[in-house]
Amino acid sequence: MDEGLLEGEANLKSCLEDWSELNKEFTQLEATHDHYKKVLEELWDAQKKCLSGIAHHRYRMKQISEKMNRIKEKSKPETEDALKQLRLEMQQRKSQFREMEEFLPHKNGIYLSIILGSVSVSLLNKEEKYAYKHNYETFKATVSYISLALSLVLMFVTEYRWFDAVLHFLLVWYYCTLTIRENILMVNGSRIKGWWVTHHFISTVCAGLTLIWPDSYTYKYFRGQYLMFSSYLSFLYIVQFFYQKGALYRLRALGQRHDMDITVEGFMSWMWKGISFLLPFLFAGYFFQLYNAYVLYRLSQDPHCKEWQVLFLAIIHLILSVGNITTTLKVVVDKLRTNRRQELTNKYRFNSHQKKDM
Ligand code: COA
């Protein structure tokens, strides 16, 4: 027989054997997939039960609290002690609920519902949350390096307005993306202060107004100062990135340690060093922002000023500066007052089977 035909038959035989072997493996795969679907259904069931259980407990606790409030203020010392103890236990139960909810799906807020619809953005384990937060910080740093470079280049390239528009558009996109990512972080239990998210919403508007600001006398007048401010802001984001990255690594290390006491102290001392280093730079930025508001306001009163954007931008810079100053001061005061020991050690405590090198 022809050698080619023989080789063809041998190949066909080998193909059929491989196929039949693969069929056996496929049966196994089907069984695994069936098992997976069953586990998934059980998981959904368990999630629903936990969510409605927590809602039920909260409802009952609210009723108990209302009953407690009806007990007369001046009662026997034993009654007062019992009430105090009950309040303490209820407080502890509330933080237990929060811990439980870290592993349960959450509903999207209005903003995410509008943008993403009802798709779930819940991250159901701490390792995923850690990875997402890490990615968020890296994203901020990457765009900040780009905007810093672009702002510095633009200081020397003055004749093309469209080139400025690239920076303005980058900032509109960046702040818009930040608001989405921050809302996802908040759904997943991040304690970002509402102001920082609002700050990024307002910054989107600010960058948008600068984008549509015509290439006029006022634009040219403010352009140099704006580019200096934009460079400084990008630099600030980069310095903040090193602080947040350091905090994130240390929080993860805390969650994995057994002897935590010394490490929590270590974290706190590192955090205060970081904040003391950051604060002068932050406040310099806030005063720069105030100065921007002042210069823009003066410019809006100039007879050459025909653009409505100038006054709006002055107001926005003022709002941002005042909001930043008050929030940063509040954050520092809160940190001095509250004991976050438990929260810090639990923040990124992975189960042993969740741990993997990242
Ligand atoms: N943007 C986004 N997230 C922020 C944030 C900010 N500016 N400041 C704090 N967070 C996050 C933290 O990462 C943390 O998240 P987590 O719960 O997911 O772990 C949460 O908010 C709580 O942080 P908190 O303990 O209040 O503060 P901190 O120690 O992380 O940071 C500061 C304190 C003061 C250093 C920080 O708030 C900061 O850099 N503020 C200035 C920001 C600013 O001025 N921006 C505008 C000009 S660039």
Side-chain angles (χ1 to χ4, degrees):
M1 213 193 281
D2 188 331
E3 216 169 273
L5 275 176
L6 272 176
E7 199 187 323
E9 265 180 32
N11 278 345
L12 177 65
K13 200 174 159 219
S14 152
C15 288
L16 289 173
E17 275 167 12
D18 284 352
W19 181 243
S20 125
E21 205 175 298
L22 205 60
N23 270 343
K24 277 183 211 146
E25 283 176 30
F26 183 70
T27 318
Q28 181 60 42
L29 174 64
E30 270 185 322
T32 312
H33 190 257
D34 283 345
H35 174 67
Y36 162 72
K37 283 198 294 192
K38 207 169 143 241
V39 172
L40 208 57
E41 267 169 35
E42 282 170 7
L43 177 77
W44 287 330
D45 268 358
Q47 280 177 348
K48 264 191 221 158
K49 272 187 200 149
C50 287
L51 284 171
S52 64
I54 292 175
H56 171 71
H57 273 258
R58 283 209 169 111
Y59 173 70
R60 290 291 313 276
M61 276 167 62
K62 200 171 154 224
Q63 285 183 325
I64 297 172
S65 296
E66 281 168 6
K67 253 190 230 165
M68 282 161 66
N69 289 340
R70 284 200 289 272
I71 299 174
K72 280 193 187 135
E73 265 184 28
K74 293 244 159 103
S75 38
K76 283 191 227 154
E78 306 90 77
T79 320
E80 276 182 25
D81 284 349
L83 280 176
K84 210 169 156 191
Q85 178 62 23
L86 198 54
R87 283 206 182 94
L88 189 74
E89 282 177 25
M90 284 172 115
Q91 209 51 43
Q92 281 166 352
R93 188 60 53 83
K94 279 181 191 165
S95 52
Q96 282 175 312
F97 290 152
R98 279 198 290 274
E99 260 296 302
M100 284 177 174
E101 279 171 337
E102 293 242 0
F103 299 89
L104 290 165
H106 300 267
K107 274 193 184 156
N108 293 346
I110 298 179
Y111 184 62
L112 285 181
S113 304
I114 293 170
I115 294 182
L116 305 175
S118 58
V119 64
S120 172
V121 291
S122 298
L123 304 167
L124 295 186
N125 68 55
K126 293 198 180 183
E127 191 181 345
E128 280 183 353
K129 285 179 208 253
Y130 173 86
Y132 192 76
K133 175 84 182 180
H134 189 272
N135 187 276
Y136 160 81
E137 295 297 346
T138 315
F139 168 77
K140 278 210 296 194
T142 311
V143 180
S144 300
Y145 279 117
I146 298 171
S147 63
L148 175 63
L150 206 53
S151 306
L152 292 175
V153 170
L154 283 171
M155 282 186 194
F156 302 98
V157 185
T158 49
E159 62 267 38
Y160 306 112
R161 172 65 174 83
W162 66 266
F163 203 17
D164 290 6
V166 175
L167 173 69
H168 304 325
F169 185 75
L170 173 74
L171 293 179
V172 172
W173 171 80
Y174 168 62
Y175 287 124
C176 217
T177 311
L178 280 192
T179 60
I180 300 172
R181 285 184 179 236
E182 279 157 4
N183 271 276
I184 295 178
L185 283 170
M186 282 164 94
V187 164
N188 287 291
S190 172
R191 287 168 191 248
I192 301 177
K193 297 266 175 309
W195 167 254
W196 302 129
V197 186
T198 313
H199 172 275
H200 294 140
F201 273 113
I202 302 176
S203 299
T204 313
V205 178
C206 185
L209 286 181
T210 320
L211 178 67
I212 58 167
W213 188 354
D215 190 12
S216 52
Y217 163 76
T218 51
Y219 181 82
K220 288 195 175 85
Y221 185 93
F222 190 66
R223 186 180 179 275
Q225 184 172 335
Y226 176 79
L227 289 175
M228 266 168 64
F229 179 69
S230 168
S231 315
Y232 188 73
L233 206 60
S234 309
F235 159 77
L236 266 188
Y237 272 109
I238 294 165
V239 185
Q240 281 175 56
F241 164 72
F242 287 109
Y243 170 81
Q244 293 293 352
K245 195 174 94 170
L248 205 54
Y249 285 160
R250 281 168 181 79
L251 283 174
R252 188 171 73 144
L254 265 181
Q256 293 177 1
R257 285 278 304 236
H258 298 299
D259 177 17
M260 283 157 200
D261 274 2
I262 299 163
T263 325
V264 169
E265 301 309 333
F267 176 84
M268 298 300 278
S269 118
W270 175 88
M271 182 194 79
W272 282 116
K273 267 189 214 149
I275 290 186
S276 326
F277 175 78
L278 262 178
L279 282 182
F281 290 108
L282 289 176
F283 276 88
Y286 303 155
F287 289 117
F288 198 157
Q289 224 157 17
L290 266 186
Y291 179 63
N292 284 345
Y294 169 74
V295 171
L296 283 164
Y297 175 72
R298 292 292 301 270
L299 202 55
S300 72
Q301 305 301 307
D302 191 301
H304 292 99
C305 176
K306 304 274 180 292
E307 295 76 30
W308 57 271
Q309 288 91 347
V310 184
L311 184 62
F312 273 81
L313 283 170
I315 297 169
I316 288 177
H317 277 270
L318 179 69
I319 295 173
L320 286 178
S321 168
V322 173
N324 285 340
I325 292 173
T326 46
T327 312
T328 303
L329 287 176
K330 193 175 174 308
V331 167
V332 175
V333 172
D334 283 354
K335 276 181 188 289
L336 284 168
R337 279 194 189 146
T338 47
N339 176 7
R340 299 166 70 218
R341 186 170 294 264
Q342 188 65 25
E343 181 203 322
L344 291 176
T345 48
N346 283 344
K347 182 86 195 173
Y348 292 110
R349 181 180 289 178
F350 307 152
N351 295 335
S352 51
H353 66 273
Q354 285 178 2
K355 266 191 234 168
K356 72 174 180 202
D357 259 347
M358 297 177 65

